[in-house]
Amino acid sequence: MTADLCEVVITALDAGWLVDFTRRLVEDRLAASAQVTEPVRSIYRWQDEVVDRTEARAMVRTRVRLVPLLVARLAREHPYEGPGIIAVPIISTSPTYKDWLLSQTSDAGGNID
């Protein structure tokens, strides 16, 4: 079980913004890697209207204890009023990948801005 690892999913209207944001997460060791894909079609209710539009989606691999830092940074920097972000546990991976992911992320668990 790799309960200390997760994948964080983030959406944004602008793929370029999302690439820049996730690159900074990797540079700051808040994430080991990120994959950004576009287009994804998002359908959701916002302010009593059903929205159907194209967005970009990032899948970010990190430590569970770094998720609150990612959420806080996203709240400060994301152009949406209520950005979509979810964290999903990684329940299994190879020992080599787990070691790499841990080596690429901060073990500080709270003091990275």
Side-chain angles (χ1 to χ4, degrees):
M1 182 80 165
T2 57
D4 49 344
L5 305 178
C6 66
E7 183 169 82
V8 177
V9 178
I10 303 167
T11 55
L13 187 58
D14 182 320
W17 181 89
L18 201 50
V19 167
D20 291 342
F21 180 76
T22 56
R23 176 173 280 130
R24 289 192 312 275
L25 294 178
V26 171
E27 288 169 351
D28 295 341
R29 295 194 174 270
L30 289 174
S33 67
Q35 293 81 37
V36 177
T37 110
E38 67 166 327
V40 295
R41 189 164 179 184
S42 296
I43 302 166
Y44 55 92
R45 184 177 299 278
W46 180 253
Q47 297 178 341
D48 291 328
E49 287 188 35
V50 174
V51 178
D52 183 339
R53 71 177 178 195
T54 301
E55 293 182 301
R57 176 182 175 145
M59 289 74 63
V60 179
R61 308 246 172 78
T62 190
R63 297 173 187 236
V64 169
R65 69 174 159 184
L66 295 175
V67 170
L69 298 172
L70 268 72
V71 170
R73 182 176 282 188
L74 191 71
R76 286 192 312 268
E77 298 181 19
H78 200 289
Y80 288 177
E81 182 181 330
I85 181 169
I86 62 167
V88 180
I90 296 173
I91 59 170
S92 181
T93 190
S94 71
T96 303
Y97 187 78
K98 179 180 180 177
D99 290 345
W100 174 82
L101 197 154
L102 290 171
S103 76
Q104 297 306 305
T105 53
S106 172
D107 61 2
N111 53 5
I112 298 175
D113 190 25

